[in-house]
């Protein structure tokens, strides 16, 4: 899915933000995958990484399909408030299109995102379960540790 939405920046200019969310396999629901913020994000990369997530989940027998999201920005060039606005709008657009939710698609942090961005998604008034925030409770832990905790939780349940 390709999304475009305007962002009114702190300096008064308006930018058009381009973003993506790809779901590779619905054979195991929900699908899961990170949301990245990078200037080189594109549709092909997002779809390829969603497919890779499907295979990674299958290899370790985690009961999820693969997904991936991307927002085409350089996160270092935006203020915290601007990034919050971008993440909330991205999430809102996905919710409107029924493309994200606890039984459908579980987002997680990836390159350029972390616990803060996941917290912004979680505090929205949408019933969204987050891969990392659910298990790390926004602790300052690495993405790898968060994924390990998610995998361990899934195998225990």
């Amino acid at each position: 899915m390709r999304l475009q939405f305007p962002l009114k920046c702190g300096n008064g200019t308006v930018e058009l933000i381009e973003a993506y969310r790809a779901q590779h396999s619905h054979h195991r629901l929900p699908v899961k995958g990170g949301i990245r913020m990078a200037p080189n994000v594109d549709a092909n990369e997002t779809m390829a990484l969603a497919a890779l997530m499907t295979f990674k989940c299958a290899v370790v027998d985690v009961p999820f399909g693969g997904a991936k999201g991307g927002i085409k920005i350089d996160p270092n060039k935006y203020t915290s408030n601007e990034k919050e606005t971008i993440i909330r709008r991205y999430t809102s657009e996905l919710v409107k299109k029924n493309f994200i939710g606890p039984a459908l698609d579980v987002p997680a942090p990836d390159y350029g995102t972390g616990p803060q961005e996941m917290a912004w998604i979680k505090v929205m008034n949408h019933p969204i379960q987050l891969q990392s925030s659910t298990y790390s409770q926004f602790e300052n832990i690495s993405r790898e540790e968060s994924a390990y905790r998610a995998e361990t939780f899934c195998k225990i349940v």
Side-chain angles (χ1 to χ4, degrees), residues 13 15 17 23 26-27 39 41 45 50 56 63 68 86 96 107 118 130 133 135-136 139 143 154:
T13 63
E15 286 185 35
I17 303 296
Q23 297 174 341
H26 292 104
H27 289 97
V41 166
E45 174 195 54
K56 288 167 48 178
K68 185 60 77 171
I86 292 167
K96 279 192 251 181
M118 297 301 104
L130 301 170
S133 64
Y135 308 108
S136 69
E139 294 172 18
R143 190 169 63 90
C154 290

Side-chain angles (χ1 to χ4, degrees), residues 31-43:
V31 296
K32 79 170 204 76
I35 299 171
R36 60 179 41 208
M37 283 194 221
N40 59 347
V41 166
D42 64 34

Side-chain angles (χ1 to χ4, degrees), residues 19-157:
Y20 304 92
R21 186 72 181 171
Q23 297 174 341
H24 176 259
S25 173
H26 292 104
H27 289 97
R28 289 182 158 185
L29 285 177
V31 296
K32 79 170 204 76
I35 299 171
R36 60 179 41 208
M37 283 194 221
N40 59 347
V41 166
D42 64 34
N44 289 332
E45 174 195 54
T46 304
M47 291 185 291
L49 291 170
L52 184 60
M53 183 57 70
T54 296
F55 303 134
K56 288 167 48 178
C57 289
V59 165
V60 295
D61 199 28
V62 174
F64 294 113
K68 185 60 77 171
I71 302 171
K72 190 173 186 167
I73 65 166
D74 180 350
N76 298 317
K77 294 184 178 179
Y78 293 85
T79 67
S80 181
N81 287 340
E82 291 168 338
K83 287 191 283 189
E84 180 177 2
T85 300
I86 292 167
I87 287 288
R88 287 176 182 267
R89 179 66 185 268
Y90 174 76
T91 305
S92 177
E93 292 297 320
L94 292 175
V95 168
K96 279 192 251 181
K97 293 170 178 30
N98 200 30
F99 216 72
I100 194 170
L104 180 63
D105 190 332
V106 181
D110 197 348
Y111 182 81
T113 61
Q116 180 60 67
E117 288 77 13
M118 297 301 104
W120 290 330
I121 292 171
K122 186 170 178 128
V123 298
M124 294 179 69
N125 292 322
H126 303 295
I128 297 174
Q129 180 180 12
L130 301 170
Q131 178 190 341
S132 67
S133 64
T134 302
Y135 308 108
S136 69
Q137 297 301 312
F138 308 120
E139 294 172 18
N140 189 19
I141 62 172
S142 71
R143 190 169 63 90
E144 293 80 12
E145 175 67 14
S146 180
Y148 168 77
R149 289 184 186 187
E151 179 183 335
T152 303
F153 176 81
C154 290
K155 288 189 177 205
I156 291 170
V157 174

